[in-house]
Amino acid sequence: MRFLLDDEQREFARSLDALLTAADTPAVVRGWASGDHGPGLALWRRLADAGVFALAVPEAYGGVGPLPVETAVAFVELGRHGVPGPLVESVAAGVLLGGVGGPAAKEWLPGIASGTAVVSLALEGYGPYALDADVADAVLTVTGDELRLTRGAGGATGPGAATGPGVPTGPGAATGPGGSTGRPAPTGPGAPTVSVDPARRLFRPEPGGEVVAAGPGVREAARAAGTWATFATAAQALGCGEALLRATVAYVKQRTQFGVPVGSFQAVKHRLADTLLGLEFARPLLYGAAVELADGAPGAGAAVAAAKVAAGEAGYAAARTALQLHGAVGYTEELDLAWWLRRARPLRDAWGTPSACRARVLAG
């Protein structure tokens, strides 16, 4: 089966590529890893203006979704440019809250779609961490049939919060009865867990939190959110692999040995060809999964898992190829490539390890 994007989808990809190229994302990633979130949040808002976070939010809450194909297009570009932040988690939170509905959906979904709310997410079965919880306005967790929400450091200025002159904001702002927001005080996520990728800051969600929904519908919505998170991460992994391959091809054309470019050596050509094949085989699986998600097909979950295995493994193989062919310079932090090298492995394992995804495929 052959999947071709239509003109609007291709233009969407080109516009995101242009936006992210102009944004100097390597500098944004370096800042994010060092704790300077300002440039990253500014880019977040620009991505929201481009419609990225509205893609998984239902129209009833200010979004345009769910649109899986467009989500794949967007997240391939986000992965290619290495954009940091809880991108996947915010999109999956949109699916989760859209499925649950109720007051929490009305409060948070418009903010997710417009980019005024940054949300992270942790679900049972996908690891204990919430990505970038220190910058999130809210962290959602699902345990059994309960959906809990913990307001983060940005929670005092999240959707619906009181703002303006004279209204205190931030972690020290007054809250609760007699305070400025009338909400539970935001809490910090504690110290991050060390990650292979310094720009992926992993936090264990704070215990407790406000129960915003409960019942069997929460479990079903969490299952759908997990599938979307796996899907978006697969797209990111594919984009990351493409960026690594593109940079490596450019490098082997420039680096010379014995008076000729190293890219002319047969062994190098074969390694690059194998890397390209892996990425190109993953692409139709990703868009095939998008079509099944859009159609609500019963096998959509297995299709997403297959796409995640293929894209995750292809992206990681691209990182290994890039490191070998760049030589010692490949892993130095002075080279922007190092940030993509560090991201490929976490993307392979995030929101569904290869073994878990293979088991999902076999289960049908």
Side-chain angles (χ1 to χ4, degrees):
M1 187 178 294
R2 188 180 184 190
F3 299 99
L4 294 175
L5 301 177
D6 62 29
D7 291 340
E8 289 187 2
Q9 291 162 344
R10 287 194 292 270
E11 181 57 34
F12 183 43
R14 285 192 291 266
S15 67
L16 287 177
D17 180 49
L19 184 158
L20 294 170
T21 299
D24 188 16
T25 50
V28 173
V29 174
R30 291 178 186 276
W32 193 274
S34 67
D36 179 10
H37 297 130
L41 292 175
L43 179 57
W44 186 283
R45 290 187 288 272
R46 294 178 66 189
L47 290 169
D49 291 341
V52 170
F53 301 115
L55 294 172
V57 174
E59 292 183 11
Y61 298 100
V64 296
L67 296 174
V69 176
E70 286 75 9
T71 299
V73 170
F75 274 82
V76 168
E77 293 301 325
L78 295 174
R80 182 181 291 121
H81 288 273
V83 180
L87 303 157
V88 167
E89 289 71 18
S90 284
V91 167
V95 175
L96 174 61
L97 291 172
V100 170
K106 292 179 181 179
E107 178 183 0
W108 289 95
L109 284 178
I112 291 174
S114 65
T116 58
V118 178
V119 178
S120 192
L121 174 68
L123 298 176
E124 284 183 315
Y126 292 100
Y129 302 110
L131 182 67
D132 296 314
D134 58 331
V135 76
D137 295 293
V139 176
L140 299 174
T141 56
V142 175
T143 305
D145 289 342
E146 285 190 341
L147 170 60
R148 293 180 177 267
L149 184 148
T150 302
R151 298 178 189 275
T157 57
T163 58
V167 178
T169 61
T175 56
S180 64
T181 67
R183 291 193 169 97
T187 59
T193 299
V194 176
S195 171
V196 172
D197 178 2
R200 288 179 59 86
R201 298 166 59 81
L202 304 175
F203 295 85
R204 288 184 179 271
E206 291 290 311
E210 176 188 0
V211 178
V212 295
V218 170
R219 191 182 295 272
E220 184 61 31
R223 187 178 298 111
T227 298
W228 271 75
T230 303
F231 172 67
T233 305
Q236 272 191 315
L238 179 61
C240 180
E242 290 178 347
L244 287 162
L245 178 60
R246 183 181 302 175
T248 306
V249 169
Y251 181 74
V252 299
K253 289 180 179 179
Q254 298 171 358
R255 181 185 173 189
T256 60
Q257 197 170 31
F258 307 115
V260 296
V262 297
S264 64
F265 300 154
Q266 188 178 53
V268 172
K269 290 180 179 179
H270 285 183
R271 184 67 182 265
L272 291 170
D274 289 341
T275 302
L276 176 62
L277 282 174
L279 294 169
E280 290 303 318
F281 272 108
R283 191 185 313 279
L285 288 175
L286 177 68
Y287 286 110
V291 171
E292 295 213 24
L293 277 176
D295 293 341
V304 167
K308 178 60 163 53
V309 169
E313 296 285 20
Y316 183 50
R320 293 171 64 88
T321 296
L323 180 60
Q324 180 175 3
L325 297 186
H326 274 82
V329 71
Y331 58 81
T332 59
E333 289 195 1
E334 291 77 12
L335 191 69
D336 290 339
L337 182 81
W339 296 95
W340 277 259
L341 288 171
R342 289 180 172 187
R343 181 156 299 180
R345 176 66 180 268
L347 288 178
R348 188 192 74 166
D349 295 338
W351 291 106
T353 63
S355 59
C357 288
R358 288 188 176 97
R360 179 74 181 274
V361 173
L362 291 173

